[in-house]
Amino acid sequence: MAGLSVAEELNKLGLKVVIVEGEHYLGGHLIIDDTEIKDLGCGSEFIGKLSKEISDSVTVLTGVIFDGFLEDAVIGHSRDFSRLYTFNYKYLILAQGFREVPLIFPGNNTPRMITGLTMLKLTKWWGFKPRRVLVWGSDDWAVRVAMNLIQTGIEVYLGDNSVTIRSDLYRDRVDALGIKTFIGMNIVDAKDSSEGLRLVLENIRGKKAKRQRREEVVVDVLVSAVRVPVIDLPAQLNAPIVYAPEIGGLVPRRGFTGDLGLGNAYVIGDAGGLLPEHLIVRQARVTALSIGAMEDLVTKDAFDKELVDFKRDLVTTNSSYYNVILRFEQGLQGSGYYAEPNVVHAPMWATAGSIEDVENALKSANRQYLCFCEDVTLNDVLRSINVLMHGKEIKVRVLHGEEEEYKSLRLPGMERIKRVVGLGTGPCQGKLCLINTNLILSFIYQKKPSEFGLPRIRFPEASIPMATLAGGE
């Protein structure tokens, strides 16, 4: 949606626009979202209308994967591998949106766990209709996934190990629809059976736990609606990737216009930090006008007015997002330095909703898979850290008086861990495991994600046969 919105605005300014879309359809996740979205109406109807308007006025390449940057060339390829593309551009706008990631819990190597977008495609396009589904996650998107599934007649539960339902926009809808919730619960065990996936849930521990609660539920499908911004291409460009939990976790550092500070590259929409759809439309206009002002197609006053209005909307409707981007632009007290916080919650780690849950969660680390391509478990990663630290004991719970020593402890980075256990070396190239692993390790050891870092994300975005690189067959 962000890409279509900014393309529409740029086209109005008279600029030549090319949209590169890896799928064979436009619109991203909204193409299959039939719920009502603030200020936009029905999601699928809104995006369908916008897609048609755009397709009639700009160049659209569907089924083409933008692979990224190979030395001085910018390359893409068709999904059928028949064509290789090289791109020339004056401005590059990255609008890849979000990516749903697997949940981490004991027994998560089950075929019954799928993502929210996949579940909606299966039910609405292919007629798949399970009896009972647990949607895990409770932000705007997760609640809308649940609402969409209810429309098809499926019995839906909603779970999350957050203290409350995260979505401010749709929290009341959960109660109105009578959705049974497992909020403030951890998944502590899971087993496949002839009846379905049997999940054992316990409430989170510590001060946030109001009462002890343990429940079992059997579902046909566990839907992961936990999402993270897609940072692959900004990382390829060496844009700074920083941790901002208020807007989705690891995100590229940029300004209100989406400018990555690289001269001609921008990131907008959920790829730059999770943002409600109605604000993405406003953000797209700001980005387009900033480019228009540089090209003398609009006045600087017109751009400044739109930017001020956008910031005002953010302050009144999403102040946390506004504050994060302000810190990105100005840094700590105007110094330019961004103070990265510690990880206090990793939403994809369904077994540990609070720091008090960590020790108990680690008891089943050998059954919690982080990398499904290479069968790497959390236990494998923790053992690799022990090996790389030459057997030195690393405490999870630090006692009073040990804080300074622990802060100075330097743990091995993700690149070294990858080389030991093969994490992120499978077909998905780490798209489904690297961010999960970084945030979970940062949570366990109470370190900043930048201390672990990420392995170098390299070209290509998706695997390309050598024949295609040679010119196609």
Side-chain angles (χ1 to χ4, degrees):
M1 177 186 140
L4 293 179
S5 298
V6 75
E8 180 183 46
E9 296 294 340
L10 290 169
N11 184 61
K12 289 178 182 178
L13 296 175
L15 293 169
K16 181 181 178 181
V17 181
V18 177
I19 296 176
V20 181
E21 171 56 63
E23 298 291 348
H24 292 290
Y25 58 84
L26 297 175
H29 64 281
L30 285 189
I31 193 71
I32 203 163
D33 187 352
D34 296 325
T35 60
E36 290 292 314
I37 298 174
K38 182 179 179 181
D39 296 344
L40 305 182
C42 174
S44 58
E45 292 179 4
F46 170 82
I47 209 67
K49 180 180 177 182
L50 181 59
S51 298
K52 186 177 186 308
E53 292 173 355
I54 290 297
S55 299
D56 293 339
S57 56
V58 306
T59 302
V60 177
L61 301 176
T62 55
V64 176
I65 297 172
F66 187 96
D67 288 299
F69 314 93
L70 180 61
E71 295 182 352
D72 59 344
V74 183
I75 292 176
H77 73 276
S78 60
R79 293 190 68 151
D80 62 5
F81 304 118
S82 64
R83 301 189 67 181
L84 185 71
Y85 293 82
T86 57
F87 299 103
N88 295 300
Y89 56 83
K90 188 170 184 180
Y91 300 100
L92 174 66
I93 301 176
L94 303 173
Q96 293 175 285
F98 62 76
R99 176 181 292 133
E100 292 167 298
V101 292
L103 301 174
I104 313 302
F105 58 89
N108 65 335
N109 59 331
T110 169
R112 294 182 183 272
M113 180 174 64
I114 59 178
T115 64
L117 184 59
T118 300
M119 184 66 192
L120 294 183
K121 289 180 178 179
L122 287 173
T123 55
K124 297 191 177 187
W125 290 357
W126 302 103
F128 176 54
K129 191 174 180 180
R131 296 165 300 167
R132 191 177 300 115
V133 168
L134 172 60
V135 176
W136 195 265
S138 61
D139 67 359
D140 293 352
W141 168 243
V143 176
R144 294 212 312 266
V145 169
M147 291 164 61
N148 273 284
L149 294 175
I150 287 173
Q151 291 176 3
T152 66
I154 298 172
E155 184 179 357
V156 178
Y157 304 145
L158 188 72
D160 200 343
N161 55 12
S162 59
V163 180
T164 184
I165 294 175
R166 301 175 195 274
S167 173
D168 294 326
L169 289 176
Y170 300 99
R171 187 177 294 118
D172 293 340
R173 294 288 294 150
V174 174
D175 292 332
L177 291 169
I179 301 174
K180 183 175 181 180
T181 61
F182 297 96
I183 302 299
M185 305 286 281
N186 294 317
I187 301 176
V188 297
D189 196 18
K191 291 182 180 178
D192 279 304
S193 68
S194 58
E195 299 174 341
L197 181 64
R198 184 176 298 276
L199 299 167
V200 179
L201 300 104
E202 291 182 355
N203 64 291
I204 58 176
R205 302 179 179 217
K207 296 178 181 178
K208 297 177 182 179
K210 296 181 179 179
R211 61 188 178 87
Q212 294 299 313
R213 181 182 173 195
R214 180 183 175 92
E215 294 198 36
E216 289 191 15
V217 60
V218 178
V219 295
D220 297 309
V221 179
L222 172 62
V223 174
S224 172
V226 175
R227 54 191 184 139
V228 297
V230 178
I231 62 171
D232 310 349
L233 293 176
Q236 270 196 43
L237 282 167
N238 289 323
I241 305 298
V242 297
Y243 178 62
E246 304 94 330
I247 59 175
L250 291 173
V251 296
R253 184 174 178 179
R254 49 26 167 253
F256 284 99
T257 64
D259 186 359
L260 289 170
L262 303 174
N264 64 345
Y266 297 76
V267 61
I268 67 168
D270 290 323
L274 304 182
L275 187 65
E277 283 82 359
H278 69 283
L279 291 174
I280 290 177
V281 175
R282 296 295 309 279
Q283 183 190 47
R285 179 162 174 76
V286 167
T287 301
L289 288 181
S290 72
I291 293 174
M294 287 188 289
E295 294 293 314
D296 293 325
L297 299 173
V298 297
T299 65
K300 189 175 184 302
D301 287 344
F303 162 65
D304 288 341
K305 181 180 182 303
E306 189 67 31
L307 179 60
V308 168
D309 290 344
F310 176 54
K311 289 180 177 180
R312 185 183 300 116
D313 283 352
L314 284 176
V315 169
T316 56
T317 63
N318 202 315
S319 59
S320 60
Y321 190 100
Y322 171 83
N323 290 329
V324 168
I325 306 304
L326 191 65
R327 296 202 304 273
F328 282 177
E329 284 196 341
Q330 299 181 1
L332 184 65
Q333 297 180 344
S335 65
Y337 170 73
Y338 174 71
E340 191 177 57
N342 284 350
V343 176
V344 296
H345 183 245
M348 66 287 296
W349 199 13
T351 306
S354 70
I355 193 65
E356 289 85 355
D357 293 317
V358 169
E359 285 188 276
N360 193 54
L362 294 181
K363 294 175 183 177
S364 58
N366 63 330
R367 296 179 56 224
Q368 300 178 42
Y369 285 82
L370 294 172
C371 178
F372 291 86
C373 298
E374 300 297 322
D375 284 345
V376 178
T377 66
L378 177 57
N379 188 58
D380 294 330
V381 171
L382 296 176
R383 288 177 61 190
S384 74
I385 292 175
N386 183 263
V387 169
L388 291 168
M389 295 294 290
H390 305 290
K392 181 176 180 178
E393 181 186 4
I394 306 170
K395 295 182 179 180
V396 174
R397 186 179 292 276
V398 181
L399 301 177
H400 180 67
E402 300 175 334
E403 297 92 341
E404 289 304 317
E405 179 184 356
Y406 189 76
K407 285 180 182 179
S408 64
L409 181 65
R410 188 176 180 85
L411 297 175
M414 289 285 293
E415 183 67 46
R416 296 180 68 196
I417 294 170
K418 181 188 81 170
R419 292 169 186 263
V420 173
V421 296
L423 183 82
T425 60
C428 87
Q429 299 177 310
K431 294 179 179 64
L432 299 179
C433 65
L434 292 180
I435 290 177
N436 279 9
T437 304
N438 177 291
L439 294 182
I440 289 173
L441 290 179
S442 300
F443 182 42
I444 290 172
Y445 295 115
Q446 286 298 283
K447 296 288 187 179
K448 301 182 189 304
S450 59
E451 295 183 53
F452 284 101
L454 289 173
R456 182 79 169 91
I457 297 178
R458 296 180 173 87
F459 171 92
E461 172 73 359
S463 301
I464 311 175
M466 293 301 293
T468 303
L469 285 173
E473 291 183 327

